[in-house]
């Protein structure tokens, strides 16, 4: 058996708990998951009523599929509060389970797949690629769709689009950056943003043609769709393609509108927060808005899903803010290179006392800008000591781990040097920082 397979890497353990019964022989080797066509990660807990309602439904479908010879396995990833609750709940399940002791791995998996609530069933192929994060719907609404092959963006967009001149085909978007604009005429923020986006699109088209925007409508009737789209200079998904509309909303996990998703020519998502990038760059000079190594926290794309190092420096001088930003940018570039372009940590700076920084301060109870008495102090870590400052600016260095149910960690003092920030990050990774809980 090949060692260190994709599932051993994913789950961080060589052995899973498994049941005797349908195709099982007790504990099983994690590597054996690769022999299945579909592997489901089932995030659930005994204390959750919807979970207790869905588990028997899932178990029935699972056992039937196994009897029918389908190569389908499930791994229970528990959100139970203690070992006994886990054991009692797992007694009702016929599949595998991540050991309850693997709490850090459970948290890592929840972050990786953006689990916001339970029950959640994430379906993977045998290479660990996501087929769907909405396996619950796949099981209840389309069990005959096994193995639920992942739909490509091309499939979801369809083959025709509405333009000012009439219907155009896929040739209008092939090989281009795409801006998918989820919006609706009944939405006031959408009506305010649409002219801004339309102006940027028109100006950009004067100098380049390597992109296209597509309106994905949330209107309730076709006449409203047509009237609203008439105010836009770009393409639209036909109103009749409501199924594709729903698939795109689910695929990009659109939770509110207006939302602007930017996609590369090879179908990879560049950002789901194109709206804020347009707001700060109305001429589109930075389009297609690839992530920067460091961003202003007023544009917090990714902070809810990824561990983020933030320097709240609203009270500092512009030169000091730029110095901090330069250090963060260097760390961001190194993280991007280390992870092959998929950073596991993001970097932000807060400079606007009236913006998102003030909300983060309030949630973390960090005090307002201007509070405190300016002072310098020596901070030692082993044999190394350095001078750090804290003061009237009330600058804070904070690691926000929002995916970990709203956790955060605050640096003692303020050492925003490259060495100081790297040391802070290492302490976090080593579990040497005190976790605090964000308020509402």
């Amino acid at each position: 058996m090949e060692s260190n397979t994709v599932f051993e890497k994913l789950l961080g353990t060589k052995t899973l708990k498994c049941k005797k019964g349908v195709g099982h022989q007790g504990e099983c080797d994690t590597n054996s998951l690769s022999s299945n066509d579909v592997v489901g990660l089932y995030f659930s807990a005994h204390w959750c009523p919807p979970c207790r309602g869905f588990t028997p439904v899932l178990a029935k479908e699972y056992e039937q599929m196994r009897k029918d010879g389908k190569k389908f396995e499930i791994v229970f990833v528990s959100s139970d509060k203690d070992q006994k609750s886990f054991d009692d709940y797992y007694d009702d399940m016929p599949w595998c389970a991540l050991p309850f002791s693997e709490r850090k791995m459970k948290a890592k998996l929840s972050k990786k797949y953006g689990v916001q609530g339970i029950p959640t069933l994430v379906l993977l192929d045998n290479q660990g690629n996501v087929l769907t994060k909405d396996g619950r719907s796949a099981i209840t609404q389309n069990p005959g769709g096994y193995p639920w092959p992942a739909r490509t963006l091309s499939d979801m967009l369809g083959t025709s689009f509405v333009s000012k001149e009439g219907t155009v085909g896929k040739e209008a978007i092939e090989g281009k950056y795409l801006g998918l604009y989820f919006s609706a005429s009944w939405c006031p923020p959408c009506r305010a943003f649409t002219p801004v986006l339309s102006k940027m699109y028109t100006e950009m088209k004067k100098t380049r043609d390597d992109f296209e925007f597509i309106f994905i409508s949330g209107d309730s009737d076709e006449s409203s769709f047509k009237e609203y789209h008439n105010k836009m200079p770009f393409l639209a998904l036909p109103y009749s393609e409501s199924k594709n509309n729903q698939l795109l909303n689910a695929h990009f996990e659109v939770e509110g509108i207006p939302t602007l998703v930017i996609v590369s020519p090879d179908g990879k998502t560049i950002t789901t927060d194109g709206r804020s990038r347009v707001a700060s760059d109305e001429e589109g000079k930075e389009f297609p808005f690839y992530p920067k190594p460091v961003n202003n926290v007023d544009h917090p794309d990714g902070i809810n899903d990824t561990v983020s190092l933030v320097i709240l420096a609203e009270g500092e001088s512009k030169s000091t803010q730029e110095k901090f930003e330069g250090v963060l940018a260097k760390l961001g570039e190194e993280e991007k290179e280390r992870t092959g372009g998929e950073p596991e940590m993001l970097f932000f700076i807060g400079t606007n006392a009236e913006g998102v920084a003030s909300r983060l301060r309030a949630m973390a109870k960090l005090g307002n800008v201007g509070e405190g008495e300016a002072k310098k102090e020596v901070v030692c870590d082993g044999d190394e000591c350095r001078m750090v400052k804290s003061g009237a600016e009330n600058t804070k260095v904070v690691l926000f781990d929002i995916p970990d149910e709203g956790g955060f960690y605050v640096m003692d003092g303020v050492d925003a040097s490259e060495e100081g920030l790297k040391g802070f990050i290492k302490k976090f990774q080593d579990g040497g920082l005190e976790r605090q809980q964000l308020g509402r």
Side-chain angles (χ1 to χ4, degrees):
M1 179 76 66
E2 180 186 358
S3 63
N4 203 27
T5 66
V6 63
F7 285 102
E8 185 177 325
K9 292 177 182 177
L10 177 66
L11 299 176
T13 179
K14 293 184 177 181
T15 306
L16 297 173
K17 289 177 66 67
C18 284
K19 291 291 184 69
K20 294 180 180 179
V22 186
H24 291 313
Q25 302 297 323
E27 287 192 343
C28 59
D29 188 332
T30 305
N31 293 331
S32 67
L33 293 175
S34 295
S35 64
N36 295 281
D37 294 327
V38 180
V39 175
L41 300 182
Y42 182 39
F43 298 84
S44 185
H46 183 267
W47 53 260
C48 161
C51 300
R52 295 198 304 271
F54 178 61
T55 295
V57 175
L58 180 59
K60 181 179 179 180
E61 292 294 340
Y62 167 85
E63 291 180 325
Q64 186 60 54
M65 288 181 187
R66 299 280 299 194
K67 288 177 181 177
D68 291 343
K70 293 184 171 67
K71 296 180 179 180
F72 180 38
E73 189 52 87
I74 293 175
V75 179
F76 170 40
V77 183
S78 173
S79 292
D80 285 300
K81 298 176 181 178
D82 54 60
Q83 182 72 50
K84 184 179 185 305
S85 298
F86 167 87
D87 291 340
D88 290 346
Y89 191 33
Y90 185 50
D91 278 346
D92 298 329
M93 301 178 184
W95 43 70
C96 300
L98 185 72
F100 182 77
S101 58
E102 298 286 348
R103 295 295 83 198
K104 288 185 179 180
M105 179 52 62
K106 177 265 175 188
K108 184 176 180 180
L109 290 169
S110 294
K111 292 178 191 178
K112 180 178 179 67
Y113 296 109
V115 177
Q116 300 294 321
I118 53 176
T120 290
L121 179 63
V122 178
L123 299 179
L124 310 174
D125 66 15
N126 59 10
Q127 296 302 308
N129 301 310
V130 176
L131 297 173
T132 177
K133 293 183 181 180
D134 189 18
R136 188 178 177 187
S137 294
I139 290 292
T140 57
Q141 299 175 18
N142 187 29
Y146 175 93
W148 305 289
R151 290 179 178 269
T152 65
L153 178 60
S154 179
D155 291 337
M156 290 183 281
L157 285 173
T159 58
S160 64
F161 308 93
V162 181
S163 75
K164 292 291 185 183
E165 291 73 33
T167 301
V168 296
K170 298 196 78 165
E171 68 279 358
I173 66 170
E174 287 179 348
K176 296 184 177 183
Y177 292 99
L178 298 180
L180 305 181
Y181 182 41
F182 298 84
S183 184
S185 62
W186 50 260
C187 160
C190 300
R191 294 198 303 270
F193 181 64
T194 294
V196 177
L197 182 63
S198 296
K199 181 179 179 181
M200 186 189 82
Y201 173 91
T202 301
E203 289 300 313
M204 287 172 56
K205 278 295 184 180
K206 293 178 181 178
T207 59
R208 56 189 294 186
D209 192 37
D210 62 342
F211 72 97
E212 190 53 76
F213 290 175
I214 305 172
F215 168 42
I216 315 294
S217 176
D219 286 299
S220 56
D221 60 78
E222 190 165 8
S223 61
S224 297
F225 159 78
K226 289 180 177 179
E227 182 179 354
Y228 189 36
H229 181 229
N230 193 47
K231 300 175 182 177
M232 306 174 190
F234 37 81
L235 304 179
L237 196 70
Y239 186 79
S240 58
E241 298 293 339
S242 58
K243 184 175 181 180
N244 285 359
N245 185 318
Q246 294 169 6
L247 290 171
L248 289 164
N249 272 269
H251 179 75
F252 291 108
E253 300 178 2
V254 176
E255 296 181 352
I257 54 175
T259 289
L260 179 64
V261 177
I262 308 299
V263 180
S264 67
D266 60 358
K268 294 183 179 179
T269 301
I270 296 174
T271 179
T272 58
D273 190 30
R275 178 188 178 188
S276 69
R277 297 295 297 271
V278 171
S280 61
D281 179 24
E282 293 186 6
E283 295 180 3
K285 292 180 179 179
E286 296 181 354
F287 184 87
F289 306 135
Y290 279 104
K292 299 177 181 179
V294 58
N295 285 286
N296 195 292
V297 79
D298 279 345
H299 307 298
D301 189 21
I303 198 171
N304 287 330
D305 308 310
T306 309
V307 176
S308 299
L309 179 64
V310 181
I311 300 181
L312 298 172
E314 312 97 293
E316 299 282 2
S317 66
K318 184 172 179 60
S319 61
T320 299
Q321 290 173 349
E322 290 175 347
K323 179 181 177 181
F324 290 167
E325 186 171 354
V327 176
L328 290 171
K330 184 175 181 181
L331 297 183
E333 291 286 6
E334 290 177 356
E335 175 70 5
K336 184 177 179 180
E337 182 177 349
R338 182 185 72 83
T339 59
E342 298 183 1
E344 297 173 358
M345 181 175 290
L346 302 178
F347 300 86
F348 296 90
I349 186 166
T351 59
N352 176 14
E354 304 299 323
V356 173
S358 65
R359 297 202 292 275
L360 290 175
R361 284 183 181 275
M363 292 169 64
K365 298 180 181 179
L366 297 174
N368 298 320
V369 175
E371 292 183 353
E373 180 181 351
K375 62 180 181 179
K376 293 185 178 180
E377 60 181 334
V378 176
V379 173
C380 296
D381 183 7
D383 296 332
E384 296 185 7
C385 296
R386 61 178 67 91
M387 187 73 71
V388 301
K389 71 174 184 176
S390 61
E393 301 92 347
N394 200 20
T395 298
K396 298 290 184 182
V397 178
V398 189
L399 265 165
F400 288 97
D401 192 2
I402 295 176
D404 181 25
E405 300 179 355
F408 73 98
Y409 306 80
V410 183
M411 177 187 281
D412 290 331
V414 180
D415 182 0
S417 66
E418 180 180 351
E419 181 182 10
L421 295 180
K422 284 185 174 179
F424 183 50
I425 292 170
K426 187 174 189 309
K427 280 188 177 181
F428 165 75
Q429 294 170 336
D430 293 343
L433 298 177
E434 179 184 356
R435 184 189 184 280
Q436 300 183 59
Q437 180 65 45
L438 288 174
R440 295 289 181 181

